Amino acid sequence: MGTTITQAARQQEPVSSLVVPVILSGGSGSRLWPVSRSSYPKQFWPLVSKHTMVQETALRSHGAGFSAPIVVCNNEHRFIMAEQLKEVGVTGAHILLEPVGRNSAPAITAAAVLAAETDPDAVLWVMAADAAMQKPQNVGPALALAAQIARAGRIVTFGMTPTRAETGYGYIEKGAALDGYDGAFSVAKFVEKPDADKAASMFESGRFLWNSGMFVFTARTMLAEMEKFEPAIVAAVREAMDRRRSDIDFERLDATAFAACPDISIDYAVAERTSLMTVIPGDFGWSDVGSWDALWELSPKDDAGNVSIGDVFMHNTSGSYVRSDGVLTAVTGVEDLLVVVKDDAVLVTHRQHAQDVKAIVAQLKKAGRKEATAHTRCYRPWGFYETLIKGSRFQVKRIVVDPGEKLSLQKHFHRAEHWVVVEGTAHVTRDEEIILVRENESVYLPLGTVHRLENPGRIPLTLIEVQSGPYLGEDDIVRLEDIYSRS
């Protein structure tokens, strides 16, 4: 039996023997459009199991040997993140909110500063929120070794043993074996994503590993190296942390101070410059799930090599990935295709061109198409809403409010609303009135009415909202009171 994380930690007797998971949740996953969009990116979708990607990541680093995680995400996703962690029993997470994206180096520095407030020698395990590992049983021994090496003052990354000549990943070239640590090596160099010929050459050499983007180090070591190479980041992050404010379950970094950080990845800031870099080769069944083709590779297939998800029928089809999150989708007479169907967008591409989906998203953004970034279903801290139909001067939405939650006290200048309860019970504030609205009952809210919707029950509250007026944008909301501290 391999050494457990806790056993490895005890050998060094630090202030804390627990590894601190650090989960970075900053990407939009545009290559997995139309499912992944910036309003609800891939880490919040169940793509490889019944759990979402971020839930899988959190559960991977939960339990004996681990402290509560530090999660770095943006302000817009804070309630989604908190709810998804809660759903799988991951409690006590420190959720740091970035006011603006500044790449991985500032995010990791913020996590290290937070951990150092409790224990400067805490061991941190940094990982992306949206990677998959199909051989999690191999992670523990490698992480135990990494924690030992980190406590000796080095920075460790995991290099994944390549299974093919992949052009979508960066690579790490192994250097000399690390004295005293069997299975660990110095890093000779990092290599950017290669072309096909170079990828084939590196794969055949046996010296190169896929760059997983995971790091293990003590807070003290990382902060010292950041001070050496990027002191401006450390200064800005320390100021942002000193001036942070607590908001419900979140820690908000100061916007002005954090915005002063240079935009740079941890690879460029430290990994490619430090003399302390160490790599541990691993076979974790790892994938960054960076494209639909990657999901095809990860998913169970039928005898023809097809992956079918949702209401899908296939005939005379092979090597294809077909996913429908709504309407019946039929495919016939094709091979090696990727077909992804959402209620407002459809993607069709050859598997060889899976990386080009990002270019389509860029075109959609340039054309001002909301489908590039937003779903028809919009999640809020109280639940979600989705647009069912929209016309001239009217819009119909389905609104679902979680038990015990309530919307802000608000009013609109340009629209009136009519609510029909179809499931559950609603408490409705309408100016000075408080009305109990039951299933199959309705309430009318004239333009300018101060109103609020609350679910006092134990089941989700579902209602149909009919809006009417000359302007129906989401920015026509004047919030007078909000328990979620939204403006």
Side-chain angles (χ1 to χ4, degrees):
M1 180 179 294
T3 305
T4 67
I5 299 167
T6 306
Q7 288 170 340
R10 286 172 180 164
Q11 293 175 16
Q12 300 296 317
E13 297 184 355
V15 174
S16 172
S17 63
L18 302 179
V19 171
V20 182
V22 177
I23 300 173
L24 304 183
S25 178
S28 61
S30 59
R31 290 183 180 87
L32 288 176
W33 184 88
V35 170
S36 180
R37 310 183 198 183
S38 56
S39 68
Y40 205 83
K42 69 173 183 176
Q43 56 264 37
F44 300 120
W45 289 92
L47 297 176
V48 296
S49 75
K50 67 179 182 180
H51 295 126
T52 68
M53 303 296 289
V54 72
Q55 287 174 334
E56 287 282 355
T57 302
L59 290 172
R60 197 177 298 136
S61 55
H62 180 63
F66 295 102
S67 70
I70 297 173
V71 181
V72 186
C73 71
N74 65 37
N75 184 65
E76 288 72 23
H77 297 152
R78 65 194 188 280
F79 292 108
I80 302 171
M81 178 65 73
E83 180 63 25
Q84 291 206 353
L85 293 178
K86 179 182 176 182
E87 285 176 358
V88 292
V90 177
T91 58
H94 305 280
I95 303 178
L96 289 176
L97 302 181
E98 292 182 301
V100 61
R102 282 294 181 264
N103 218 314
S104 58
I108 289 172
T109 302
V113 169
L114 180 63
E117 290 177 354
T118 304
D119 178 10
D121 294 308
V123 173
L124 280 62
W125 177 22
V126 174
M127 57 198 132
D130 54 4
M133 294 189 198
Q134 294 190 308
K135 299 178 181 179
Q137 69 276 9
N138 294 343
V139 176
L143 182 57
L145 175 60
Q148 280 187 283
I149 297 170
R151 292 190 178 103
R154 297 186 66 85
I155 299 172
V156 184
T157 187
F158 296 117
M160 301 295 100
T161 304
T163 58
R164 62 187 181 279
E166 174 61 55
T167 60
Y169 298 151
Y171 285 73
I172 300 169
E173 183 178 11
K174 291 187 297 184
L178 195 66
D179 289 342
Y181 298 98
D182 186 34
F185 301 83
S186 64
V187 172
K189 65 180 177 182
F190 288 84
V191 181
E192 296 288 341
K193 295 178 182 178
D195 59 26
D197 289 341
K198 189 172 182 179
S201 175
M202 289 191 294
F203 178 64
E204 291 169 3
S205 76
R207 301 193 315 274
F208 291 86
L209 306 164
W210 287 339
N211 185 352
S212 70
M214 290 184 281
F215 295 92
V216 180
F217 50 78
T218 65
R220 186 190 303 277
T221 298
M222 179 54 70
L223 291 175
E225 293 301 280
M226 285 295 302
E227 285 275 14
K228 180 188 300 183
F229 298 114
E230 295 289 342
I233 290 180
V234 179
V237 168
R238 286 193 185 278
E239 182 178 358
M241 290 291 290
D242 288 343
R243 293 164 58 182
R244 73 185 187 269
R245 61 186 179 88
S246 298
D247 177 9
I248 311 177
D249 295 326
F250 313 107
E251 298 288 329
R252 291 181 178 273
L253 298 174
D254 180 76
T256 302
F258 195 76
C261 286
D263 188 325
I264 185 172
S265 72
I266 195 65
D267 293 57
Y268 291 146
V270 172
E272 296 182 6
R273 300 157 79 180
T274 181
S275 62
L276 304 177
M277 205 66 226
T278 304
V279 63
I280 296 175
D283 178 16
F284 301 167
W286 173 89
S287 170
D288 72 349
V289 196
S291 69
W292 288 112
D293 188 47
L295 265 179
W296 174 83
E297 291 179 350
L298 289 169
S299 304
K301 303 169 185 65
D302 64 18
D303 292 342
N306 295 314
V307 177
S308 172
I309 298 173
D311 194 2
V312 170
F313 284 78
M314 285 188 273
H315 171 71
N316 193 25
T317 296
S318 64
S320 296
Y321 181 101
V322 184
R323 175 190 181 116
S324 175
D325 290 349
V327 300
L328 166 66
T329 301
V331 177
T332 183
V334 299
E335 60 183 28
D336 298 336
L337 276 193
L338 302 169
V339 180
V340 183
V341 179
K342 295 292 290 181
D343 58 349
D344 62 339
V346 177
L347 170 73
V348 180
T349 185
H350 195 280
R351 280 178 35 219
Q352 288 184 350
H353 297 286
Q355 296 291 335
D356 296 339
V357 174
K358 188 174 184 178
I360 286 289
V361 176
Q363 289 184 38
L364 292 172
K365 288 180 179 178
K366 187 175 181 179
R369 297 297 298 258
K370 62 178 175 42
E371 294 93 340
T373 58
H375 288 276
T376 55
R377 175 176 291 191
C378 296
Y379 289 86
R380 293 293 184 263
W382 42 261
F384 68 86
Y385 71 85
E386 55 190 345
T387 300
L388 303 180
I389 187 171
K390 187 175 183 178
S392 176
R393 297 180 62 91
F394 79 92
Q395 183 170 222
V396 180
K397 292 182 176 179
R398 172 178 174 240
I399 297 176
V400 177
V401 184
D402 294 331
E405 302 294 340
K406 58 184 175 181
L407 282 65
S408 60
L409 186 67
Q410 59 185 250
K411 63 180 179 180
H412 311 294
F413 288 125
H414 302 288
R415 71 176 185 249
E417 296 174 344
H418 192 163
W419 292 345
V420 181
V421 174
V422 295
E423 183 178 21
T425 304
H427 267 161
V428 177
T429 299
R430 183 174 65 181
D431 287 332
E432 302 303 319
E433 300 177 273
I434 297 180
I435 308 167
L436 185 67
V437 185
R438 304 169 183 84
E439 289 184 9
N440 298 318
E441 296 180 347
S442 65
V443 61
Y444 176 64
L445 305 168
L447 185 151
T449 300
V450 174
H451 61 280
R452 166 177 266 163
L453 175 65
E454 180 178 358
N455 180 0
R458 296 185 178 183
I459 63 172
L461 163 65
T462 302
L463 60 84
I464 301 300
E465 176 183 83
V466 180
Q467 302 176 354
S468 60
Y471 180 74
L472 305 174
E474 283 301 306
D475 53 350
D476 180 25
I477 299 177
V478 178
R479 289 191 175 95
L480 307 175
E481 180 184 307
D482 185 51
I483 63 172
Y484 310 110
S485 302
R486 296 171 296 171
S487 59

